[in-house]
């Protein structure tokens, strides 16, 4: 695994531990889902349902694959190797990427405007300066928009253990605030 991927995964674990208790559990996903859906007030019910389902699948996949002792929690040591296994986790990431990026396009024009992108990524828990750096790395157009497809691809790349120098690395880079 590349060092960049390891840093990305450590960050994801810390974000998924939404209640800060040191492990990931179902309540963390409920908390994060609520924050993301709230940030997407202009999105339609179908898009909100899709992101809820994607978050639920994400948790169900983690719990099924990693919670061998059945205690209902995932530790960072359990999380690290699994989340970068594209055979075991790829379909879950793909569903999540498609649902989250579509949530950022409430008018259905295939484009995500920076303010909504920032709101959604902040709801997940990323640092605002890093969110803007990521959006810039995606190469927004003159009207400060990126395509839904670009964002979805960027999410999928984020979980690839062999990827480095990708836009998603902006999320783990130290930024001056």
């Amino acid at each position: 695994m590349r060092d960049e991927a390891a840093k990305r995964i450590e960050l994801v674990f810390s974000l998924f531990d939404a209640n800060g208790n040191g492990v990931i559990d179902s309540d963390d996903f409920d908390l994060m889902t609520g924050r993301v859906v709230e940030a997407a007030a202009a999105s339609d019910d179908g898009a909100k349902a899709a992101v809820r389902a994607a978050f639920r699948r994400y948790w169900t996949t983690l719990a099924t694959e990693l919670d061998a002792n059945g205690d209902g929690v995932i530790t960072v040591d359990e999380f690290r190797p699994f989340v970068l296994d594209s055979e075991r986790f790829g379909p879950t990431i793909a569903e999540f990427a498609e649902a989250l990026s579509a949530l950022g396009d409430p008018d259905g024009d295939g484009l995500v405007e920076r303010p909504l992108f920032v709101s959604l990524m902040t709801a997940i828990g990323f640092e605002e300066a890093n969110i803007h750096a990521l959006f810039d790395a995606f190469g927004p157009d003159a009207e400060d928009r990126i395509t839904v497809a670009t964002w979805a691809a960027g999410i999928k790349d984020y979980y690839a253990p062999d990827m480095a120098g990708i836009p998603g690395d902006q999320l783990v880079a130290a930024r001056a605030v």
Side-chain angles (χ1 to χ4, degrees):
M1 171 187 338
R2 297 186 67 102
D3 184 54
E4 296 89 342
K7 288 178 183 174
R8 293 189 305 257
I9 295 315
E10 295 296 321
L11 177 59
V12 168
F13 183 87
S14 72
L15 297 175
F16 280 168
D17 180 14
N19 63 17
N21 68 352
V23 295
I24 301 172
D25 58 33
S26 180
D27 291 342
D28 290 314
F29 276 79
D30 293 341
L31 182 59
M32 184 176 292
T33 301
R35 291 190 321 228
V36 169
V37 169
E38 184 178 326
S43 295
D44 66 34
D45 290 341
K48 291 175 184 176
V51 86
R52 281 188 191 99
F55 271 116
R56 181 57 38 203
R57 179 176 179 185
Y58 209 131
W59 166 248
T60 301
T61 302
L62 287 175
T64 301
E65 293 286 334
L66 299 181
D67 189 15
N69 65 1
D71 66 355
V73 301
I74 307 300
T75 66
V76 70
D77 290 333
E78 293 170 320
F79 185 77
R80 275 186 202 113
F82 168 74
V83 78
L84 293 178
D85 184 338
S86 60
E87 288 184 29
R88 293 170 71 191
F89 203 59
T92 299
I93 292 298
E95 179 183 344
F96 178 75
E98 298 300 326
L100 182 60
S101 59
L103 196 64
D105 180 23
D107 61 6
D109 65 356
L111 299 168
V112 178
E113 288 81 17
R114 185 184 298 259
L116 183 51
F117 180 86
V118 170
S119 292
L120 292 170
M121 295 293 282
T122 300
I124 292 171
F126 293 104
E127 295 292 327
E128 188 169 344
N130 296 38
I131 296 167
H132 285 286
L134 173 61
F135 194 86
D136 292 339
F138 282 146
D141 66 14
E143 295 178 37
D144 210 26
R145 304 171 302 184
I146 60 170
T147 67
V148 169
T150 295
W151 191 10
I155 294 168
K156 294 171 193 171
D157 286 349
Y158 189 89
Y159 288 90
D162 57 343
M163 300 290 277
I166 61 170
D169 288 334
Q170 299 300 313
L171 294 172
V172 295
R175 301 270 173 236
V177 186

